[in-house]
Amino acid sequence: MPSRLSVVDSERCVGCQLCMFACARRFGDGGLERSAILIRSIGGVERGFTVVVCRACRDPPCAAVCPEDALRVRRGGGVLLDPNRCTGCGHCRDACIIGAVFWDERANKPNICVHCGYCVNFCPHGVLALEEVAA
Amino acid sequence: MPHDPLSRVLYIDLTRKKYWVEDRADLFEKYLGGTGVAVKLLEEELPRGADPLGPDNVIVFAVGPLTALYPLASKTVAVFKSPLTGNLGESHAGGRSAAAIRLAGLGAVVIKGVSEHPVYVSIHGGKVYFRNARTLWGIRSSYTVGRIIREAEPGAGLRTIMRIGRAGENLVRYATVITETYRHFGRLGLGAVFGSKRLKALVVMGKQTIPVAQKSLYRQVYQEIYDAATRSDLMKKYHDIGTPVNVAPLNALGALPTRNLSQARFEEADKISGEAMAAKHLARRTACSHCPVACIHVAALREPYADEPYFYKTSFVSYDYEPIYALGTMLGIGDTEGLLKLIDVVEAAGLDAMSTGVALAWATEALERGIISENETIVKLRWGDSDAYVDAVEKIVSQPNEFYRVLAQGVLHAAEKYGGKEFALVFGGNEMPGYHTGPAAHIGYLIGARHSHLDNAGYSLDQKVYKTQGKPLEPEETVERLMAEEAWRQVLSSLVVCFFARGIYRPETVTKALKPLGIELGDKELEELGWRIYREKYRLKLREGFDPAGLEPPPRIFETPTPYGRLSPEYIRRALNHFARRIADLASSE
Ligand code: SF4
Ligand code: SF4
Ligand code: SF4
């Protein structure tokens, strides 16, 4: 069965951003340029945090607007990027109303969560989980 | 380190509104980063004898090779000349500051000069923007300042917003710089230095990739450190109850300074202990960027409005051991609501909680003894009366009379002018931290390079020695142990890792963590590096007039017994003499 990254309970999130660093570390380097998840405060740390990450749409608006067919719909929802087709036009970024299409400035291409679950192993507070979904 | 941008130093001149970047691989190779590099940059830029509140003072922020790469490498080091002590000032803070600076492609930021009107400076996309901050100047609460800048600037989640409150604007010499609402460059008056430069805030945003030389080794070492931080007991104490877990044991030990250290036990300690706070108020935990521990404990404080029924305000107030000590036990406040309210106004004003609490404690005793009167204090200060202290905090900020103008310069100035030096709890110009654990704590405050309890952790040495042998080490031995600890902490704060993670970042782990980055440093080299940085700090301190022979402990510490009983002035004297000799040798060594 395919799976998707799910946000179990963002109220438990402490804003440590370990998930963001983990996502970028998939490629073996440090920093956050290639991270596909963002943790930010809800109007200041005093109000808690929100987790911004692809929610695996079944009929993804980001893919629908891609003029190059560079975003393929993934089994289980969400999309997979074909970097060779992508021209960096940025339409997908505008189409995702939750802001889950991040931008790799250096490559000039979108960063979108592929629902691999790597970050889940580094969330110390049980905010994130990989859940099985129907194909 | 191929392509690691760490050695890039950003210089900002507030007078000319100019900025430039220099590659300082020379310094980063020799001093690693963090405090090591920051001190050298300060030494280069700071004219000898500069006025801490004049245009010549310099602020340096620095991060290190581990920043944004490993868990708990979460802190930024700030160095500057302190307006409180008149000598080297150093303060560390987390929040998102360290990751943001490092991922903006910088290793350090040097801020010089003075702006002719209020500004805030915003760094993103390789550019520096000087923004007009006239609108922000004088805003009542530092929380509001944060809120406005948050909306005006890009990069939510990837930035730090360091800002001052009115205390910094009004040059209170123990004003703080606040970052991410609950973290502080707290001690020694960096906020006043910001204020003197008319710098309201510094925003840094960054997310760039930091290339790593050995990628799979990096991921492997990361995993080991992550496991140590999350699975072992090493961090448990900060994790569960947070730093206030110390209130109850220190009270039981008789080491908890109370009512201006006229006592070392507080009869209401159990009402404001970490456990009590958690049970009654704990509402949320938060963390600095890249920290799995989340030691920041935030309380919810619900207060009714007096003028309208069914109208409440709920504030979120972060609490730690030190504010509970300084604004709680030192002032005899034993109710959590009153204490949280006081912490909240101190935060909103942008004051250092520790110095503020000690200043108010001194003022209360001085009033009690009739050295000063209500003509001076305006407010009737009384132990335990949190409302009176809330009023007095506002007066420290607004300084309506001569007394508060002097108190805003620190307890030392106040006691010099009004008397009461016997009970002025000041060490080298800085107000006392919350540990009356024995001789090592007090010697530690006096000889620490930045006068912080975290310089050399004397409180911890005291407790260890007390448990094992029940009587102090020889004074010379105490000094040696404190100096060795401080030398090692120079390494930790050059990497830069949070001191709470010192149990994880032992020398062998540091060596391991540096290796994938292409930096090979063994035990011996790390130790040498620590001593080298220690020496450089003291050279700069001596240059700026530090006199080890002139160190004087406050008489009050000898009156109130510690767990070891009464401290002996002779013991402290011997320790300080030994320290003076050691520093003279070290400073002249190669
Ligand atoms: S990136 Fe946004 S639009 Fe595209 S699948 Fe994910 S959530 Fe849906
Ligand atoms: S599931 Fe994978 S791609 Fe998605 S945010 Fe986590 S680590 Fe990144
Ligand atoms: S790792 Fe977990 S707790 Fe930390 S920021 Fe991410 S979701 Fe929040």
Side-chain angles (χ1 to χ4, degrees):
Chain A
M1 268 222 269
S3 41
R4 87 178 251 272
L5 178 68
S6 88
V7 180
V8 183
D9 183 0
S10 65
E11 288 296 328
R12 294 177 66 127
C13 175
V14 298
C16 67
Q17 306 190 321
L18 265 95
C19 52
M20 293 164 60
F21 287 101
C23 183
R25 210 167 49 253
R26 287 178 297 152
F27 307 101
D29 286 318
L32 294 171
E33 178 94 63
R34 302 182 75 182
S35 182
I37 181 169
L38 175 74
I39 306 297
R40 60 174 178 77
S41 71
I42 311 171
V45 176
E46 55 274 39
R47 304 284 149 166
F49 299 93
T50 178
V51 181
V52 185
V53 69
C54 172
R55 56 182 316 278
C57 303
R58 289 290 175 162
D59 184 9
C62 56
V65 300
C66 176
E68 310 293 339
D69 268 337
L71 293 172
R72 232 175 349 102
V73 181
R74 182 185 158 276
R75 245 163 51 87
V79 291
L80 296 170
L81 174 76
D82 179 349
N84 296 322
R85 281 173 169 255
C86 173
T87 58
C89 71
H91 289 334
C92 54
R93 182 175 40 183
D94 301 336
C96 178
I97 59 161
I98 62 171
V101 174
F102 299 98
W103 209 254
D104 179 341
E105 309 284 345
R106 203 173 277 216
N108 193 35
K109 303 231 184 295
N111 269 338
I112 304 172
C113 170
V114 296
H115 302 272
C116 68
Y118 188 65
C119 56
V120 174
N121 307 323
F122 295 93
C123 174
H125 303 290
V127 177
L128 305 172
L130 202 62
E131 74 178 14
E132 296 202 332
V133 289
Chain B
M1 290 181 282
H3 313 298
D4 188 326
L6 185 67
S7 59
R8 298 174 75 243
V9 176
L10 172 66
Y11 292 80
I12 298 173
D13 181 342
L14 293 172
T15 311
R16 296 184 299 138
K17 308 280 186 298
K18 293 256 184 290
Y19 67 92
W20 63 97
V21 172
E22 285 178 31
D23 185 82
R24 297 306 306 268
D26 57 328
L27 293 182
F28 282 88
E29 269 157 28
K30 197 154 173 209
Y31 298 99
L32 212 53
T35 200
V37 168
V39 160
K40 294 310 284 182
L41 287 168
L42 182 68
E43 182 193 286
E44 283 177 11
E45 298 292 334
L46 182 79
R48 191 179 289 261
D51 172 2
L53 296 178
D56 282 345
N57 200 357
V58 176
I59 302 164
V60 184
F61 290 104
V63 295
L66 300 193
T67 306
L69 287 175
Y70 287 104
L72 290 151
S74 51
K75 296 264 177 155
T76 303
V77 171
V79 300
F80 49 97
K81 188 163 177 180
S82 164
L84 190 61
T85 64
N87 208 303
L88 175 63
E90 176 177 346
S91 186
H92 304 172
R96 295 202 196 101
S97 60
I101 292 171
R102 180 96 159 98
L103 301 186
L106 299 168
V109 180
V110 176
I111 302 173
K112 320 198 281 184
V114 56
S115 174
E116 67 184 16
H117 63 83
V119 285
Y120 78 86
V121 169
S122 184
I123 302 170
H124 52 85
K127 293 205 172 67
V128 176
Y129 302 87
F130 297 90
R131 313 260 208 230
N132 195 321
R134 286 186 176 97
T135 321
L136 302 177
W137 211 254
I139 283 180
R140 251 197 104 66
S141 163
S142 67
Y143 294 104
T144 312
V145 175
R147 206 166 294 160
I148 294 168
I149 298 178
R150 259 195 311 272
E151 289 179 12
E153 292 291 325
L158 300 166
R159 65 188 174 189
T160 183
I161 303 177
M162 304 176 189
R163 65 263 193 184
I164 59 168
R166 279 156 61 238
E169 293 174 9
N170 295 351
L171 308 181
V172 178
R173 294 196 193 183
Y174 38 94
T176 64
V177 171
I178 302 162
T179 183
E180 284 64 82
T181 312
Y182 298 129
R183 297 289 87 190
H184 312 90
F185 295 96
R187 308 231 67 197
L188 300 170
L190 182 59
V193 180
F194 264 53
S196 72
K197 296 186 175 307
R198 300 194 186 85
L199 178 61
K200 183 69 187 175
L202 178 69
V203 184
V204 187
M205 186 279 215
K207 62 168 191 174
Q208 81 180 41
T209 295
I210 307 292
V212 166
Q214 299 179 50
K215 297 187 201 306
S216 70
L217 184 62
Y218 165 54
R219 295 217 295 190
Q220 183 192 322
V221 178
Y222 188 105
Q223 184 77 51
E224 284 172 31
I225 293 173
Y226 177 80
D227 289 345
T230 50
R231 305 221 179 111
S232 71
D233 276 347
L234 288 169
M235 306 297 298
K236 193 171 161 46
K237 125 174 180 199
Y238 303 109
H239 183 277
D240 293 352
I241 308 281
T243 56
V245 75
N246 287 325
V247 174
L250 285 173
N251 190 55
L253 194 63
L256 181 63
T258 301
R259 296 191 182 86
N260 205 36
L261 193 56
S262 58
Q263 305 155 244
R265 281 203 177 87
F266 184 40
E267 61 289 354
E268 296 184 283
D270 59 332
K271 289 204 220 151
I272 55 168
S273 66
E275 291 77 2
M277 281 286 202
K280 263 180 97 173
H281 297 285
L282 181 57
R284 176 170 283 132
R285 299 253 309 277
T286 77
C288 295
S289 185
H290 226 151
C291 169
V293 179
C295 78
I296 308 164
H297 285 54
V298 181
L301 174 65
R302 180 167 170 258
E303 293 169 273
Y305 281 93
D307 59 340
E308 194 171 347
Y310 298 104
F311 230 74
Y312 291 89
K313 104 171 175 187
T314 303
S315 322
F316 293 94
V317 187
S318 96
Y319 60 91
D320 259 302
Y321 172 71
E322 299 291 344
I324 293 179
Y325 139 73
L327 300 170
T329 64
M330 275 294 260
L331 302 178
I333 296 174
D335 69 296
T336 52
E337 280 84 8
L339 172 56
L340 286 170
K341 218 164 123 182
L342 186 58
I343 295 175
D344 197 40
V345 299
V346 164
E347 185 85 80
L351 285 165
D352 174 34
M354 284 197 246
S355 288
T356 304
V358 174
L360 292 172
W362 172 85
T364 308
E365 185 164 344
L367 185 64
E368 234 177 19
R369 288 171 179 260
I371 292 172
I372 51 175
S373 72
E374 275 180 64
N375 286 334
E376 278 79 33
T377 61
I378 309 174
V379 184
K380 185 165 168 36
L381 301 173
R382 258 184 334 126
W383 303 121
D385 184 348
S386 53
D387 289 339
Y389 290 121
V390 165
D391 289 348
V393 166
E394 174 53 31
K395 298 210 165 11
I396 290 175
V397 177
S398 57
Q399 300 162 40
N401 66 9
E402 176 67 13
F403 174 74
Y404 282 103
R405 277 193 289 280
V406 175
L407 197 60
Q409 297 184 29
V411 171
L412 182 63
H413 282 84
E416 270 167 1
K417 179 162 165 94
Y418 295 96
K421 265 189 130 171
E422 330 74 77
F423 55 86
L425 291 162
V426 201
F427 295 79
N430 189 23
E431 288 75 17
M432 179 182 167
Y435 305 89
H436 190 52
T437 45
H442 292 290
I443 294 164
Y445 308 149
L446 286 164
I447 71 175
R450 60 183 169 129
H451 307 291
S452 159
H453 59 295
L454 288 171
D455 282 335
N456 44 37
Y459 61 95
S460 157
L461 180 60
D462 278 333
Q463 290 175 74
K464 248 180 254 158
V465 172
Y466 184 75
K467 253 186 229 140
T468 51
Q469 63 176 51
K471 65 174 179 32
L473 305 167
E474 287 302 301
E476 293 76 12
E477 170 70 9
T478 297
V479 168
E480 290 300 327
R481 296 273 288 267
L482 292 173
M483 288 181 74
E485 181 64 30
E486 183 156 0
W488 173 245
R489 290 186 179 213
Q490 304 312 312
V491 177
L492 296 178
S493 54
S494 297
L495 288 167
V496 178
V497 301
C498 177
F499 284 167
F500 291 166
R502 60 187 177 270
I504 291 167
Y505 285 95
R506 303 304 309 156
E508 58 282 7
T509 308
V510 172
T511 300
K512 252 199 215 169
L514 288 170
K515 194 166 178 348
L517 317 184
I519 304 173
E520 307 265 355
L521 287 174
D523 279 18
K524 188 108 193 59
E525 289 150 304
L526 288 170
E527 195 189 333
E528 275 168 24
L529 175 69
W531 283 106
R532 184 155 69 225
I533 298 169
Y534 190 116
R535 181 191 67 198
E536 292 309 310
K537 276 190 186 169
Y538 267 94
R539 281 189 179 157
L540 180 58
K541 280 171 74 87
L542 292 167
R543 190 195 91 174
E544 293 300 310
F546 175 74
D547 174 16
L551 291 171
E552 281 293 342
R556 170 58 51 86
I557 68 166
F558 300 109
E559 288 165 23
T560 302
T562 71
Y564 293 93
R566 282 185 188 228
L567 295 180
S568 120
E570 172 55 23
Y571 182 100
I572 306 266
R573 186 47 46 212
R574 262 177 66 191
L576 293 176
N577 287 342
H578 182 68
F579 172 72
R581 276 195 301 276
R582 288 282 275 119
I583 281 300
D585 291 348
L586 188 68
S588 60
S589 72
E590 267 317 302

